[in-house]
């Protein structure tokens, strides 16, 4: 699950990975569970609502690569669907769009068409790397990878809604 800065999220859930193929005989892998299947609504105004997380996403990026600083500015100044509270998503939010059941692209192209999916055509997150804050995490929808980089120009897909952060529980 995840929570927002206020301690609550629209749903408090993360979508399943959509991994449906078993590659081992071990029980307990992603393919063994369907709890929160990915679910989206096309709002018809250039935005998509994630029914699991409650976040509202920019349906299509503008196909422009930017430095990280420029991506932050792009999202914070975006006016889309009459809304101006857009931001660069955190790494966990961006990862929530990955569909691990498909490859190249590893995202639902019905709801997120024209997503850049060539190798190393990543999307910026707002999450810095804990071990070296000169790096920022990004997500590639070619294969669902999430490398820390900052020197390359990448794409931006903006989001609105309270920022989600991981909320982990030690189950003993």
């Amino acid at each position: 699950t995840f929570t927002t800065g206020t301690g609550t999220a629209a749903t408090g859930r993360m979508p399943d990975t959509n991994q449906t193929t078993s590659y081992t005989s071990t029980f307990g892998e992603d393919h063994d569970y369907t709890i929160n299947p990915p679910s989206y609504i096309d709002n018809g105004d250039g935005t998509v609502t994630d029914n699991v997380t409650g976040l509202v996403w920019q349906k299509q990026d503008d196909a422009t690569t930017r430095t990280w600083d420029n991506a932050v500015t792009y999202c914070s100044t975006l006016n889309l669907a009459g809304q101006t509270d857009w931001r660069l998503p955190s790494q966990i939010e961006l990862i929530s769009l990955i569909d691990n059941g498909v490859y190249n692209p590893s995202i639902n192209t019905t709801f997120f068409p024209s997503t850049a999916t060539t190798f190393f055509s990543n999307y910026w997150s707002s999450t810095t790397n804990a071990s070296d804050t000169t790096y920022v995490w990004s997500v590639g929808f070619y294969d669902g990878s999430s490398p820390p980089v900052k020197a390359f120009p990448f794409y931006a897909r903006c989001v609105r809604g309270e920022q989600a952060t991981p909320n982990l529980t030690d189950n003993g």
Side-chain angles (χ1 to χ4, degrees), residues 15-16 18 34-39 52:
D16 292 344
N18 212 26
T34 301
I35 301 168
N36 299 317
S39 173
V52 177

Side-chain angles (χ1 to χ4, degrees), residues 61-170:
D61 63 82
D62 65 355
T64 302
T65 58
R66 297 173 169 80
T67 64
W68 182 78
D69 289 326
N70 288 342
V72 170
T73 300
Y74 166 71
C75 287
S76 68
T77 60
L78 181 65
N79 185 341
L80 177 63
Q83 303 298 320
T84 58
D85 59 343
W86 296 95
R87 60 181 173 76
L88 205 57
S90 68
Q91 180 191 23
I92 193 75
E93 291 169 331
L94 203 53
I95 286 172
S96 76
L97 296 180
I98 293 173
D99 182 341
N100 287 301
V102 295
Y103 175 77
N104 191 21
S106 59
I107 190 169
N108 185 319
T109 57
T110 299
F111 291 98
F112 301 102
S114 304
T115 298
T117 58
T118 58
F119 188 72
F120 218 60
S121 293
N122 290 12
Y123 284 76
W124 287 117
S125 86
S126 62
T127 307
T128 56
N129 184 328
S131 65
D132 185 346
T133 58
T134 62
Y135 289 93
V136 176
W137 291 97
S138 65
V139 171
F141 292 103
Y142 171 78
D143 60 0
S145 62
S146 187
V149 294
K150 196 170 184 181
F152 301 103
F154 286 148
Y155 297 94
R157 171 163 280 123
C158 307
V159 69
R160 52 187 303 270
E162 288 208 51
Q163 187 161 2
T165 55
N167 182 16
L168 305 175
T169 302
D170 183 351

